[in-house]
Amino acid sequence: MHARSLARTGLAALTTGALTLTGVLAAAPLAQAAGTPLVINEVYGGGGNSGATYTHDFVELFNGTDAAIDLSGYVVQYYSAAGNPGSAANTCTLSGTIAPGSHFLIQQAAGAGGTTPLPTPDQQCSAAMAGTAGSVRLFDAAGGTVDTVGYGNVVIYEGAPAQALTNATSASRTDGIDTDNNAADFTRGAPTPQNSSWTEPEPEPEPDPLELTIADIQGTGTETPYRGQVVATTGVVTAAYPTGGFRGVYLQTPGSGGVEKAPGDASDGIFVFSDWVAGNLEIGDCVEIEGTAAEFNGLTQLTNAFAERIEGCEPVLPTALTTLPATDAEKEVYEGMLVHPQGTYTITNNYQLNQFGQLGLAVGDEPLYTATDVVRPGAEALAYEAENLRRYITLDDGSSWNYMTNATAKETPLPYLSADAPRRTGSQLSFTDPVILDYRFQWNFQPVAQVVGADSPVIPISSENDREYDVPQVGGNLQIGAFNVLNYFTDLGQDEEGCAFYADREGNPVTTNWCEVRGAWTTAAFEDQQAKIVAAINGMDADVLALQEIEANSALSYKDLPRDTAIADLVDALNADVGATRWAYVPSPVGQVPSNEDIIRTGFIYNPNTVQLLGSSQILLDDAFANARYPLAQKFKARQTGNPFVAINNHYKSKGSGEDDGTGQGLANPSREAQSRALTSWVSSNFRGDAVFLMGDFNAYAKETPIQIIEGAGFTNLAKTYEPTSTTYQFSGRLGSLDHVFANAHAQRLVTGAAVWDINGDESVAFEYSRRNYNITDFYAPDQFASSDHDPIVVGLNTGNRGRGNN
């Protein structure tokens, strides 16, 4: 059913008063946000487009008050998805009067198709509205904003945008409610333009509802067999969501549950979409309920519902799930039911925790690994990922809020997360309380009420805090390492002309947004970033550290600065933190800096008290690296005794752009293969006989072909050798290593151990400096955790063992 305002549908509200399921209830008053009695009721931008019936776009207003409103001087403004008001044709000044309880139809531009004209418009304007995504604002005669509607992927909206539209659908206000959240207030459906002459049609006699069980309504397929029909049933409230945007409750058949189901069975639970229900019923209430059977994005539900409380219902029992149902069919039998997952689950995705309040879980005691970090690309990787999908489910927060865009959400503590409960990937958890199994964009375990903050009483899980506060011990007289420092830029966005920014919840700039400089936008944000990087590096206590993603200042187009400015600044900050000259940087080689260098580079810092440089650094100026970062080599030696070694710092082409070779290894894989061939060829021709370590961010997982090329040239992947399940990065709910340290045979004789220091890749992005003040809870701390999005690697060396190493 395409939901409309209460004035149009005359829907009945659920009440606690005495009633029969076939009785008539008075319609609830039209709900309006304070100060907004006039609203945009429907928007349609597909007029005249392919597949459209109507020839014109339109905007429809509705007056929900009991007095006429003079529209003289009011303005309707259309904006593109990017927020561009476009030409003057997109702005229309209104005239006329809109009667109480009446509509006002504004005809916009025509398309080339369509067969049916709009009803006689109350005003004709000329905006050519987009069919899928756009925004409409209504201003009063004084220029104040009366109402705003954004649909699709747009930048102008209230709360969160309404769904994207098609040429055959409009966004129409649901039940006349205006909560200042477009996603909650508008429903996508067939366009229903109404002008000021429209009158409520005589309602046809409603058929008696079908008396059914919840299992009957659910059916045994993926959708209800009674879609669009009025049904009546009895159920016990198992979950209620008066806040957070779900706007409803879950019901389950009295006395059901407690027994595991088989594929082909029907579920005994169902969702009821109703604001009154959500706000007035409590968990444990038993009700007789009548409503329309419907599907919403894969979730079976009842809409347009009313009910009464009754007595005598048998209690519902949660069904113990001894393991996670693997397939859609196995999960479908529990849709909307109260379940209690048993055993151990492992967090494998916490990126969406900062945005949608969700944790991705894998059943069992391990997270999900990127397939090509474990097995070879191709058939093996496809089979591995298929098994990943069978083990995955989302733990939601009982809310549809987007904490990055919804103003109310930003002022509400983010669910689940705190420094004491960091919910890191790889952390194991168990379910302490039952949850609902539902489908909202994906299969979810849903708490029985909205989770607000990290100490909410309805949090259904208990998880460990497995943060590694100290760097792993790897032995040896020297330690070397590699660390991607996440765009450490001393040049700031505020100093780059026209540089856009990402802002916190108060509108303050934090980080740059597609500028030449890629790090902090303000001095305050840079100081936050620097404090975390300094804490991490000084916590490693390494003697040689290969850094990636540090600014190449000389590559900046609008300044003339030395190449080593940023790395020198970092060294100063590190030394200031320890109060001594603990660090120095390897200078850039004279006359060898590439003219086409990326704005980020590789660089070495080292402890001058324990390590000395042998000769100057070298850059591999090979065309294979023209779309990446050129490798940097430096020979080192312990000051006291022992064998020298060569470290080569790398940062390959990323997986985010470039050609797709179809092998499932991300974009630009042929580039990374060419870079591995060029790198190993350089080693064999220039460093023959040396102990060589290849270090850095290779943007390739451990079993991918660029890594196979390196290993085929005689190098050993040290972290994977000493810690086979170690990972440095998380992406899309999968863990894997893009960062590596490789040793040739001469270098491997020096190695005493290797480990990943898990301080970044497992952490929620909410702890990063770049997300500070995005939520009312301040997650920032000047510590090592979430100092970057990559974990550092540390390797122990015994360089004093003469006769085993190479001189």
Side-chain angles (χ1 to χ4, degrees), residues 246 356-359 394-400 416 438 440 442 444-447 451 460:
F246 278 5
F356 296 114
Q358 298 173 337
L359 287 169
T394 299
L395 172 62
D396 206 353
D397 66 335
S399 159
S400 61
Y416 295 114
D438 76 0
R440 296 174 187 268
Q442 69 276 317
N444 309 282
F445 286 141
Q446 205 69 250
V451 174

Side-chain angles (χ1 to χ4, degrees), residues 364-387:
D365 57 7
E366 289 188 344
L368 303 183
Y369 296 105
T370 302
T372 52
D373 203 54
V374 182
V375 297
R376 296 293 179 90
E380 285 184 88
L382 292 174
Y384 188 93
E385 177 56 23
E387 184 58 28

Side-chain angles (χ1 to χ4, degrees), residues 91-374:
T91 302
C92 185
T93 302
L94 305 182
S95 61
T97 300
I98 179 169
S102 184
H103 306 83
F104 190 90
L105 183 62
I106 303 164
Q107 177 175 287
Q108 299 281 19
T115 59
T116 304
L118 298 176
T120 302
D122 296 298
Q123 184 150 347
Q124 297 187 32
C125 299
S126 55
M129 299 166 60
T132 57
S135 301
V136 177
R137 269 184 169 157
L138 175 65
F139 299 95
D140 62 22
T145 301
V146 176
D147 199 13
T148 301
V149 177
Y151 56 95
N153 186 16
V154 294
V155 299
I156 296 176
Y157 51 84
E158 289 182 352
Q163 287 180 284
L165 303 179
T166 68
N167 293 339
T169 57
S170 70
S172 181
R173 191 171 292 278
T174 308
D175 295 347
I177 293 172
D178 185 5
T179 66
D180 291 335
N181 183 337
N182 296 159
D185 294 344
F186 282 81
T187 301
R188 182 175 64 188
T192 56
Q194 311 296 345
N195 59 18
S196 58
S197 301
W198 180 84
T199 57
E200 182 86 40
E202 286 295 321
E204 296 182 3
E206 293 186 4
D208 290 336
L210 298 172
E211 299 277 353
L212 301 170
T213 66
I214 292 175
D216 291 334
I217 300 169
Q218 278 279 6
T220 57
T222 58
E223 293 189 356
T224 172
Y226 296 97
R227 189 168 187 167
Q229 298 185 53
V230 179
V231 297
T233 193
T234 302
V236 177
V237 177
T238 55
Y241 308 99
T243 61
F246 278 5
R247 304 168 61 188
V249 304
Y250 278 99
L251 298 181
Q252 189 165 325
T253 301
S256 66
V259 179
E260 292 194 44
K261 289 177 172 283
D265 290 346
S267 169
D268 295 304
I270 196 166
F271 185 69
V272 181
F273 177 71
S274 164
D275 286 303
W276 194 98
V277 165
N280 290 276
L281 293 185
E282 297 179 351
I283 293 174
D285 284 345
C286 183
V287 296
E288 290 182 340
I289 191 162
E290 178 183 315
T292 303
E295 294 286 334
F296 180 74
N297 291 332
L299 177 71
T300 301
Q301 62 180 17
L302 298 180
T303 62
N304 309 334
F306 59 92
E308 66 173 338
R309 290 188 179 94
I310 61 173
E311 300 292 335
C313 286
E314 294 183 45
V316 167
L317 298 175
T319 299
L321 297 182
T322 54
T323 188
L324 176 68
T327 66
D328 286 350
E330 290 172 300
K331 294 183 180 76
E332 187 74 35
V333 300
Y334 297 107
E335 183 191 67
M337 288 182 62
L338 195 65
V339 298
H340 195 161
Q342 304 293 298
T344 301
Y345 284 75
T346 302
I347 299 173
T348 193
N349 186 352
N350 59 14
Y351 186 82
Q352 297 286 43
L353 180 56
N354 186 60
Q355 184 173 16
F356 296 114
Q358 298 173 337
L359 287 169
L361 306 181
V363 64
D365 57 7
E366 289 188 344
L368 303 183
Y369 296 105
T370 302
T372 52
D373 203 54
V374 182

Side-chain angles (χ1 to χ4, degrees), residues 458-738:
V458 297
I459 290 178
I461 59 169
S462 174
S463 71
E464 59 184 342
N465 180 352
D466 61 351
R467 279 181 161 177
E468 293 186 4
Y469 290 89
D470 298 317
V471 67
Q473 297 300 303
V474 291
N477 64 300
L478 293 180
Q479 287 80 45
I480 64 174
F483 189 13
N484 181 318
V485 292
L486 185 59
N487 291 319
Y488 184 92
F489 273 65
T490 53
D491 288 296
L492 305 176
Q494 65 185 17
D495 301 320
E496 179 180 329
E497 184 177 357
C499 177
F501 55 81
Y502 293 104
D504 66 15
R505 65 191 174 94
E506 296 171 336
N508 303 308
V510 181
T511 52
T512 61
N513 181 3
W514 290 99
C515 305
E516 189 172 346
V517 296
R518 302 180 188 176
W521 205 90
T522 65
T523 300
F526 174 71
E527 290 174 348
D528 283 347
Q529 178 189 24
Q530 185 183 73
K532 295 187 80 70
I533 293 294
V534 166
I537 292 177
N538 278 338
M540 288 183 70
D541 197 30
D543 297 282
V544 174
L545 190 58
L547 304 178
Q548 301 85 48
E549 286 197 22
I550 196 160
E551 182 182 6
N553 300 80
S554 58
L556 202 62
S557 67
Y558 58 89
K559 282 186 180 180
D560 185 14
L561 293 173
R563 183 175 188 261
D564 294 336
T565 300
I567 198 169
D569 174 86
L570 178 57
V571 165
D572 288 344
L574 289 165
N575 288 334
D577 181 61
V578 296
T581 303
R582 167 65 176 77
W583 294 97
Y585 67 88
V586 173
S588 295
V590 177
Q592 205 191 7
V593 176
S595 59
N596 62 336
E597 184 171 29
D598 192 1
I599 193 66
I600 55 175
R601 54 165 286 203
T602 59
F604 285 107
I605 60 175
Y606 66 100
N607 185 350
N609 304 304
T610 60
V611 173
Q612 60 183 316
L613 308 184
L614 298 181
S616 64
S617 61
Q618 302 176 52
I619 296 178
L620 174 55
L621 296 177
D622 190 289
D623 288 344
F625 297 93
N627 65 352
R629 277 62 54 177
Y630 294 93
L632 176 68
Q634 176 65 54
K635 181 174 280 191
F636 297 93
K637 183 181 182 297
R639 284 199 172 273
Q640 299 301 321
T641 182
N643 299 287
F645 59 92
V646 174
I648 303 180
N649 193 349
N650 302 271
H651 191 182
Y652 281 14
K653 170 66 177 167
S654 76
K655 296 176 179 289
S657 63
E659 67 274 40
D660 186 354
D661 63 0
T663 62
Q665 301 178 77
L667 300 179
N669 187 63
S671 292
R672 290 187 293 278
E673 291 178 345
Q675 288 157 12
S676 284
R677 286 190 290 268
L679 176 63
T680 53
S681 176
W682 190 42
V683 171
S684 64
S685 60
N686 284 48
F687 303 101
R688 184 180 298 274
D690 285 316
V692 178
F693 294 94
L694 307 180
M695 319 169 73
D697 178 0
F698 292 82
N699 273 311
Y701 291 108
K703 297 299 183 181
E704 293 183 348
T705 50
I707 305 305
Q708 294 174 35
I709 291 169
I710 293 173
E711 292 179 335
F715 285 85
T716 297
N717 191 330
L718 295 178
K720 291 297 186 183
T721 298
Y722 284 87
E723 293 184 338
T725 61
S726 63
T727 62
T728 68
Y729 193 72
Q730 66 160 300
F731 180 77
S732 194
R734 308 293 184 268
L735 276 62
S737 288
L738 298 177

